[in-house]
Amino acid sequence: MIVNANEPTARTDNPAHALLDGLTDPQREAVVTTEGPLLVLAAAGSGKTRVITRRIAYLLSLGVPAWQVLALTFTNKAAGEMRERVGELLEAHPQRESISRGLTVSTFHALCARLLRRYAPLMEGRANWRIKHDYTIYDTNDQQALMKTTLNALQLSTTNWPPRTVLGAISNAKNELKDAAAFAAEADDFYSRQIAKIYTSYDDAMRQANAVDFDDLMVLTVRLLRECDEARDEVQARWRYLMIDEYQDTNHAQFVLSTLLVGNDPGSPPNLCVVGDPDQSIYGWRGADIANILEFEQAYSGAGLITLGQNFRSTAPILAIADHLIRNNQQRKHKDLFTTRDGGEQPEAVLCRDERHEAGLVIDWLKARVEEEESLTWKDAAIFYRNNALSRVLEDELRREGVPYVIARGTAFYQREEVRDAIAYLKLVANQADEVSLLRIINKPARKIGKATIETLAETSKIRGVPMFEVLRIVDTLDLTPQAQRAVQRFTETVDGWTGHGTFFGEGVAGSLADLVSRVLKQSGLEDHYKKLAAKSEESADKLSNLQEIVSSAAEFEETYEPADDPALAPDEDDVPPLLSIMRAYLETVSLVADADSIDPASGAITLMTLHAAKGLEFPAVAIVGMEEGLLPSSRALESESGLEEERRLAFVGITRAMRRLLMTSAKYRTQRGLRERMIPSRFLDELPSEHVRVSDQSEESWDEGWDDAPAPWDEPTEASIESARRRRASRSSGSWPGIEPGARVRHPRFGLGTIAQVMSKGMNARAVVEFKDAGRKTLVLQYANLEVL
DNA sequence: CTAGATTTTATTTTT
DNA sequence: TAAAATCTAG
């Protein structure tokens, strides 16, 4: 099946050498070069994972103690997979249990979270050290909530200072290891001075809440290892071999972190092996610095370089179009991609009518592939898209057709309102300084602590510099109505009941995590709240069952949880109640889940995911939808050349996931946030070599089937229609629909002249019943957005 | 203070 | 379209 250009290594009796079986020369080289810094440039599909896992197994079989080996990835899924595959490779080994004990395979973020838990006490009391060992991790939503309060306190409007934008600027600074003071020192214009001010206040609020964001995990660990000799010495004495996967996605902070973990003493160069592919760098927007990989050899003197160029994954035509596409990137060092898998079907590109047509077509295509090829099943098929919003139509259609599918959205469960509420209660129990969580749930469900009361509490907390929860305890001294004071007191008593007044011991305190969770759900009133509503709406019934699911998830976590007996990773928790320590571990895990983590290759279903989540995976049959200007490349990325090139790499990543069959689609019209728009096929489709792609235009087929309010395909956009679309959009955002009332004459792009018979709804997505005399007196319910008033 | 209705606004990718 | 913000009636 796979014909290897290089002759495979001969099998020997040495178990270590069995690990080299079936590897090409450069692959084998990468496995056995265990000492010193090494850069492995691994092209898409070149057996990168294979090399890393064999390398780890090889090290262990040579007698390197597992606890000296550290492998870092970006997702939990990648880490789990790596651990599993190393285990499989060692299956034959006589002492496989003992030689792999203590091996650390982790994500950057989880490793940092652990190191901070462990060593934070050593840093407490140092100037500006922000956190204690019982800190909370804030996710994007928490960050935004805190940023909103921060901006509010600074009297800055969220219109001029959008929280996302401000947080983005701060995140960039943190990725460069610039703290608020350093940022302020460099700020030489109004805008950056303002950001510096916000950055300072935000960090202040984070300190107050004893919380860190994702970037802080890196920043604070770097500071810890730089300033605390004890921590650094322990860590460096321990991990002697470090491997980093997807190195092209590391940012500056992660670069510095990796040198701190293993040291970079010219006298004894570190055993640091990094694996990556500049052509698959797709996280530039998150601060990934491609210089890390390009300048690796300068950063580590004497570093080795191995290039893996042979592709074992895709057929020749697929590889040919990927190669052709990526050659359009100017900022790139050319790399030869080659395969020995000759033959294979041509990739296809199809122009569809609209997103529904596209969804149906893609599903039909995948169905046909599965029917045609015996060895193909649903689980071998995947659909990729640029943004999550594009999955909706696909999901609808898949459900309608009864095709099994899974969607890679590991975070979805924890993003639900009711689940976030429950987690917020737990976070508050774990860290009472956590103001974001407190504010989230203090009046949820409603317990008569209203806006005015909360404002007084928050203000008092600000003025006195006391955590808000402490203010709740002295509510009787504040100028509030007796009712409000009672309500607040009852709330504090409830929370104190869960924590046993901070002791986590005694009567009424939960005995297990699951027990605590179910108490919290009951006594907070959250459960009752949804129980009451469950009979009325399906949504509430769902929410109720989600709450139950948290209890099960906690129980499951508890069952599989083993406290690390690892000196560098286990927090010093002799005097910490077990319940508290397991809850912290649970909250940490929950905070660090990623979408890609939920992908289960064993499920018998089509996988749907974003192009970003697809990196590192492969599927026999792949469809990429929404290959349109403004989508892929995304309109945001079009602002810069480097942005465009990153989009091209994203397309490259998508294409190179495909092993045998590939379909790319674009739609002529697409409804985005309720507005139907004319789309232009992606420039990336034009950049593909025509001799290797089968292109077809199906956008004008079977028009009578789809009787919706779409513009007719033969209506090419004219200046006038573009202008009227612009006006419609403008009037839509201002919320007014001039002249739309019963009797008004209107024109619809597909159905022509008509009269409004009845107004169904007003506002932004207003609809009306319109009668069309010309089209056989048809009466249709249409969106105002598509009507032109005459 | 609460709950629901109404209006406004924002849209990429994620640890 | 969907989420967030704002308004309104009880």
Side-chain angles (χ1 to χ4, degrees):
Chain A
M1 193 183 71
I2 295 171
V3 186
N4 197 336
N6 304 294
E7 75 23 273
T9 320
R11 177 183 283 276
T12 71
D13 290 336
N14 186 326
H17 290 162
L19 291 167
L20 305 177
D21 276 353
L23 297 181
T24 62
D25 285 343
Q27 285 180 334
R28 188 179 335 113
E29 185 86 25
V31 170
V32 302
T33 311
T34 59
E35 307 303 300
L38 177 69
L39 168 62
V40 180
L41 286 177
S46 63
K48 181 193 69 170
T49 315
R50 201 162 184 235
V51 165
I52 302 181
T53 50
R54 294 227 188 181
R55 192 184 149 92
I56 295 172
Y58 181 78
L59 276 168
L60 302 184
S61 70
L62 285 182
V64 171
W67 50 266
Q68 290 188 355
V69 181
L70 171 62
L72 291 177
T73 64
F74 279 90
T75 65
N76 297 302
K77 169 151 187 292
E81 222 158 58
M82 203 177 285
R83 221 174 288 126
E84 198 172 301
R85 290 187 55 176
V86 170
E88 281 166 19
L89 286 172
L90 292 173
E91 212 137 81
H93 197 101
Q95 305 116 330
R96 69 183 174 112
E97 282 292 320
S98 61
I99 68 166
S100 61
R101 182 164 306 142
L103 174 70
T104 310
V105 186
S106 166
T107 64
F108 273 98
H109 296 268
L111 179 80
C112 289
R114 295 284 173 73
L115 290 174
L116 288 175
R117 247 346 139 216
R118 168 74 178 81
Y119 293 108
L122 299 179
M123 294 293 285
E124 271 173 45
R126 290 200 191 219
N128 294 323
W129 183 252
R130 265 195 15 206
I131 52 163
K132 298 194 290 177
H133 71 105
D134 57 349
Y135 69 87
T136 299
I137 298 172
Y138 275 1
D139 68 14
T140 319
N141 290 287
D142 300 326
Q143 286 186 65
Q144 282 204 35
L146 187 66
M147 183 52 78
K148 278 177 197 162
T149 20
T150 304
L151 290 167
N152 233 318
L154 290 172
Q155 314 224 358
L156 294 170
S157 89
T158 49
T159 328
N160 294 330
W161 303 96
R164 314 165 103 270
T165 315
V166 176
L167 283 167
I170 293 174
S171 174
N172 286 339
K174 286 181 178 178
N175 289 157
E176 294 292 318
L177 293 175
K178 273 185 209 129
D179 61 17
F183 192 93
E186 277 178 26
D188 53 4
D189 58 298
F190 175 75
Y191 183 80
S192 30
R193 273 196 297 273
Q194 288 290 312
I195 297 283
K197 209 160 90 189
I198 302 169
Y199 188 176
T200 309
S201 304
Y202 172 75
D203 261 11
D204 239 36
M206 290 289 271
R207 181 180 45 72
Q208 178 91 252
N210 189 20
V212 303
D213 59 29
F214 291 131
D215 301 316
D216 288 331
L217 286 170
M218 238 60 65
V219 172
L220 294 177
T221 308
V222 165
R223 188 171 162 208
L224 165 79
L225 295 178
R226 273 181 175 164
E227 293 180 18
C228 178
D229 297 344
E230 189 184 335
R232 189 182 57 248
D233 289 348
E234 259 180 55
V235 159
Q236 292 190 0
R238 181 196 161 144
W239 285 307
R240 313 301 302 276
Y241 294 88
L242 172 57
M243 257 152 278
I244 303 177
D245 193 15
E246 308 285 9
Y247 194 67
Q248 75 283 350
D249 291 334
T250 53
N251 60 36
H252 178 67
Q254 286 158 337
F255 169 80
V256 172
L257 176 68
S258 59
T259 68
L260 284 165
L261 286 169
V262 285
N264 189 12
D265 170 14
S268 62
N271 303 319
L272 168 63
C273 171
V274 303
V275 185
D277 178 5
D279 287 338
Q280 294 184 65
S281 160
I282 54 174
Y283 286 100
W285 54 274
R286 214 170 73 184
D289 189 351
I290 209 155
N292 289 168
I293 199 163
L294 299 178
E295 290 159 20
F296 184 83
E297 292 165 279
Q298 282 102 289
Y300 296 92
S301 55
L305 169 69
I306 293 172
T307 309
L308 307 178
Q310 181 176 355
N311 182 298
F312 296 96
R313 179 185 296 149
S314 310
T315 57
I318 291 172
L319 198 64
I321 69 164
D323 182 54
H324 206 271
L325 173 73
I326 202 68
R327 279 170 190 264
N328 288 285
N329 274 4
Q330 302 301 307
Q331 297 300 108
R332 165 181 191 258
K333 222 169 89 187
H334 177 71
K335 187 158 74 258
D336 272 319
L337 299 174
F338 58 100
T339 178
T340 48
R341 301 187 62 180
D342 285 333
E345 294 288 329
Q346 287 211 330
E348 294 166 60
V350 180
L351 177 62
C352 308
R353 188 172 64 240
D354 56 25
E355 70 276 8
R356 292 188 60 187
H357 179 211
E358 177 183 56
L361 189 135
V362 163
I363 293 162
D364 285 347
W365 185 82
L366 290 173
K367 266 186 174 166
R369 299 289 76 74
V370 170
E371 276 163 25
E372 257 169 45
E373 281 195 54
E374 270 180 31
S375 60
L376 276 192
T377 65
W378 290 128
K379 72 164 197 319
D380 300 314
I383 307 175
F384 304 151
Y385 34 81
R386 177 62 232 261
N387 63 45
N388 283 121
L390 297 181
S391 76
R392 254 204 52 168
V393 203
L394 293 164
E395 288 183 74
D396 288 348
E397 209 67 14
L398 284 161
R399 261 196 303 269
R400 237 165 46 98
E401 298 270 329
V403 175
Y405 71 94
V406 286
I407 188 156
R409 242 187 247 154
T411 54
F413 179 70
Y414 296 103
Q415 297 292 349
R416 294 173 179 214
E417 187 194 3
E418 65 280 12
V419 178
R420 291 187 64 87
D421 289 342
I423 299 284
Y425 275 102
L426 291 184
K427 282 179 152 179
L428 183 65
V429 168
N431 167 23
Q432 300 199 347
D434 181 349
E435 196 176 302
V436 169
S437 296
L438 173 61
L439 286 172
R440 184 182 177 97
I441 47 85
I442 188 167
N443 195 33
K444 217 169 168 191
R447 46 174 75 88
K448 309 209 177 223
I449 303 176
K451 211 174 112 189
T453 310
I454 292 170
E455 236 150 60
T456 309
L457 294 167
E459 208 146 297
T460 314
S461 153
K462 273 269 133 45
I463 292 167
R464 305 199 188 168
V466 176
M468 196 168 143
F469 201 84
E470 295 304 313
V471 177
L472 302 197
R473 297 188 188 283
I474 51 161
V475 67
D476 52 314
T477 67
L478 302 178
D479 183 23
L480 288 168
T481 62
Q483 297 94 300
Q485 292 186 353
R486 261 318 286 153
V488 171
Q489 278 164 353
R490 284 177 54 186
F491 175 74
T492 5
E493 278 158 25
T494 313
V495 177
D496 281 340
W498 296 328
T499 66
H501 292 271
T503 65
F504 285 88
F505 282 114
E507 230 17 64
V509 173
S512 71
L513 181 61
D515 187 16
L516 173 68
V517 177
S518 79
R519 268 170 212 236
V520 166
L521 295 182
K522 280 200 180 65
Q523 293 168 5
S524 67
L526 217 50
E527 201 173 83
D528 283 343
H529 176 74
Y530 288 116
K531 236 178 217 163
K532 265 187 221 134
L533 298 169
K536 283 192 209 151
S537 78
E538 206 173 307
E539 203 189 344
S540 299
D542 272 359
K543 292 186 173 191
L544 189 62
S545 72
N546 285 332
L547 291 180
Q548 288 316 310
E549 210 174 319
I550 307 174
V551 181
S552 335
S553 119
E556 197 188 317
F557 181 84
E558 211 159 17
E559 231 161 76
T560 51
Y561 176 70
E562 308 169 21
D565 55 350
D566 201 313
L569 293 177
D572 205 0
E573 288 193 321
D574 289 345
D575 48 353
V576 173
L579 176 60
L580 188 51
S581 107
I582 195 166
M583 178 168 60
R584 282 178 191 153
Y586 176 69
L587 290 173
E588 189 174 298
T589 310
V590 164
S591 302
L592 296 178
V593 288
D595 281 345
D597 294 342
S598 67
I599 302 161
D600 176 10
S603 77
I606 294 187
T607 307
L608 269 63
M609 67 181 102
T610 63
L611 285 159
H612 282 89
K615 190 176 52 127
L617 305 175
E618 61 180 21
F619 295 88
V622 164
I624 306 175
V625 300
M627 297 272 302
E628 292 140 40
E629 287 293 298
L631 234 42
L632 180 67
S634 91
S635 47
R636 283 262 191 124
L638 285 172
E639 283 158 24
S640 70
E641 188 58 26
S642 63
L644 175 67
E645 297 206 346
E646 181 153 312
E647 295 294 301
R648 193 177 278 115
R649 290 194 291 270
L650 200 48
F652 174 81
V653 165
I655 292 171
T656 53
R657 300 308 94 195
M659 298 162 80
R660 298 207 291 275
R661 300 298 304 246
L662 173 66
L663 169 68
M664 290 162 286
T665 57
S666 57
K668 205 164 186 175
Y669 294 90
R670 188 178 294 279
T671 306
Q672 285 179 293
R673 38 181 196 279
L675 207 70
R676 187 168 295 252
E677 286 184 306
R678 182 71 219 262
M679 305 299 282
I680 295 163
S682 170
R683 68 189 71 190
F684 300 150
L685 290 173
D686 297 332
E687 292 173 4
L688 303 178
S690 50
E691 70 271 24
H692 287 304
V693 194
R694 206 156 64 231
V695 182
S696 67
D697 181 348
Q698 299 186 22
S699 65
E700 302 195 3
E701 280 177 19
S702 57
W703 245 91
D704 291 327
E705 287 174 21
W707 257 84
D708 54 15
D709 50 343
W714 49 85
D715 283 350
E716 288 304 321
T718 62
E719 298 244 5
S721 69
I722 289 169
E723 177 56 21
S724 88
R726 201 195 59 73
R727 263 205 312 275
R728 265 184 270 132
R729 174 177 280 255
S731 68
R732 191 191 76 152
S733 60
S734 71
S736 64
W737 291 101
I740 294 207
E741 51 196 33
R745 303 271 297 154
V746 294
R747 193 205 317 271
H748 187 274
R750 170 156 165 74
F751 306 109
L753 296 173
T755 312
I756 294 185
Q758 191 192 336
V759 177
M760 302 284 290
S761 59
K762 293 202 169 186
M764 183 183 69
N765 39 344
R767 283 164 193 275
V769 179
V770 184
E771 199 179 304
F772 293 94
K773 295 189 176 66
D774 297 337
R777 285 199 167 270
K778 273 196 161 51
T779 310
L780 298 163
V781 181
L782 297 168
Q783 294 196 349
Y784 275 174
N786 289 321
L787 298 176
E788 194 187 340
V789 186
L790 300 173

